[in-house]
Amino acid sequence: MTVAVGIGAWSRRHLLDVEGLTRDELERILALAVEMRAARAERRHRSLLEAEVVGLAFYEASTRTRVSFELAAKALGATTVDLSVAGSSVVKGESLVDTLRTLERTGVTTLVLRHGSSGAAHLAARTTGLRVVNGGDGIHAHPTQALLDALTLREAFGSLEGVLLAIVGDVVHSRVARSNIHCLLTLGARVRVAGPPAWVAGFEAWPGVEVATRLEDGLRGADAVMALRAQLERGASPPPEVAAWRLDEERMRIAASGAVVMHPGPTNEGVEITADLANGPRSLIGRQVENGVPVRMAVLALVAGAA
Ligand code: ASP
């Protein structure tokens, strides 16, 4: 059984990054996510992936991504298995590839992998027969986060065409920023990265991306502002001027009137964003989390060839 959304067969058996996906492919994932949201509410497609075993291998901490992939897989009838890295043979020194091949031999068909090394998902796709979905690799990519952000923004604005998202904070260490840039530019939105110079270094070379190193320049005219936390686990050392970049209601007034605020989570309230702003009327943070399950249902169905 397959779910019919879009024209033609989906040809990719992995989702490793957003880079390289066409606008039609991105649109198709978003359309299928909308269908999956309704299906979940109406308890449809509950045996779509009943032949699949989805392995969750999270070598880095995760709340939203891991939980929503598990719920997405279960909503479509797949069996799930959680590697629980800390209690696995990883602590006995087993390599990533050996661990993944073991999962494959035990019957896992689709792997959701989060890993601290950029390129880990590509390695998994190259060295195993598993279908691989990247749940975040180092500073490289976090494709399903970008997809759920795109869906959230599109639903807030009706269309992404010309919408300006300012991504503010530790952009340089952020896989979320990189995947959002690829995704949103392809879908017709505008992207600006903003922060202390060390946190946006190198992005001026990215075609189509605006770079701002002053708060006013970063926020002025933005329809949506996404705050990013300092990626301390990737060696980020917050520059001294970082407090001047904390997003609050007053600073948001520099942005376009009615501008919305986003955050991929986890938020460090009072550090990169105030609690009032994160929980206030401008915030789409809850909607981002809600959109995680249907987006991941769509991705799991597509890579399995069921949609
Ligand atoms: N949850 C996102 C990620 O895994 C953002 C973050 O951790 O700051 O990249």
Side-chain angles (χ1 to χ4, degrees):
M1 190 176 73
T2 58
V3 181
V5 174
I7 301 156
W10 181 263
S11 58
R12 299 177 190 267
R13 51 188 313 273
H14 309 294
L15 180 67
L16 305 178
D17 47 35
V18 180
E19 194 179 352
L21 292 184
T22 64
R23 184 169 184 156
D24 281 354
E25 287 173 318
L26 293 172
E27 300 277 10
R28 179 160 174 188
I29 299 171
L30 298 185
L32 185 58
V34 171
E35 152 64 13
M36 287 299 184
R37 180 164 52 204
R40 185 177 183 222
E42 294 155 16
R43 302 174 71 80
R44 288 188 281 113
H45 303 329
R46 289 182 60 81
S47 49
L48 190 70
L49 297 186
E50 65 184 352
E52 298 297 316
V53 182
V54 176
L56 304 162
F58 280 66
Y59 286 72
E60 285 192 333
S62 173
T63 302
R64 295 155 196 77
T65 306
R66 200 195 59 72
V67 169
S68 58
F69 264 115
E70 181 171 349
L71 290 174
K74 287 188 164 140
L76 296 174
T79 301
T80 61
V81 58
D82 191 333
L83 176 62
S84 308
V85 171
S88 73
S89 288
V90 171
V91 295
K92 299 181 186 171
E94 189 171 61
S95 75
L96 174 64
V97 171
D98 280 348
T99 301
L100 300 184
R101 286 185 176 147
T102 300
L103 290 181
E104 185 180 1
R105 288 196 184 97
T106 59
V108 168
T109 54
T110 298
L111 173 76
V112 180
L113 178 66
R114 167 165 293 188
H115 200 279
S117 298
S118 300
H122 282 80
L123 177 70
R126 258 201 328 273
T127 54
T128 71
L130 295 160
R131 299 185 189 103
V132 179
V133 178
N134 187 358
D137 63 327
I139 64 165
H140 169 238
H142 194 345
T144 57
Q145 178 71 43
L147 288 161
L148 71 87
D149 290 338
L151 181 62
T152 305
L153 273 172
R154 197 180 68 180
E155 291 184 333
F157 289 95
S159 154
L160 285 172
E161 208 57 56
V163 169
L164 174 58
L165 171 70
I167 305 178
V168 176
D170 183 5
V171 178
V172 86
H173 298 103
S174 174
R175 54 195 177 205
V176 172
R178 288 181 178 77
S179 285
N180 261 303
I181 291 171
H182 283 299
C183 189
L184 291 174
L185 292 181
T186 305
L187 288 169
R190 295 168 57 205
V191 181
R192 179 186 293 157
V193 297
W199 274 0
V200 292
F203 281 79
E204 58 290 334
W206 198 317
V209 176
E210 300 171 31
V211 178
T213 53
R214 292 180 52 235
L215 182 76
E216 291 72 23
D217 299 338
L219 299 187
R220 192 172 303 113
D223 302 301
V225 182
M226 177 181 289
L228 297 177
R229 72 180 174 93
Q231 300 279 302
L232 302 175
E233 70 274 41
R234 291 181 222 298
S237 51
E241 67 269 42
V242 79
W245 286 86
R246 179 182 310 119
L247 291 181
D248 60 19
E249 188 52 47
E250 194 186 323
R251 289 175 182 162
M252 280 299 290
R253 293 200 194 110
I254 304 168
S257 91
V260 296
V261 70
M262 304 173 80
H263 195 304
T267 52
N268 291 149
E269 290 178 354
V271 182
E272 69 274 5
I273 188 168
T274 59
D276 284 353
L277 185 60
N279 300 303
R282 290 182 189 271
S283 177
L284 296 182
I285 298 172
R287 298 277 290 283
Q288 290 173 270
V289 177
E290 286 162 16
N291 283 335
V293 176
V295 161
R296 289 168 177 131
M297 289 169 76
V299 167
L300 292 173
L302 285 166
V303 297

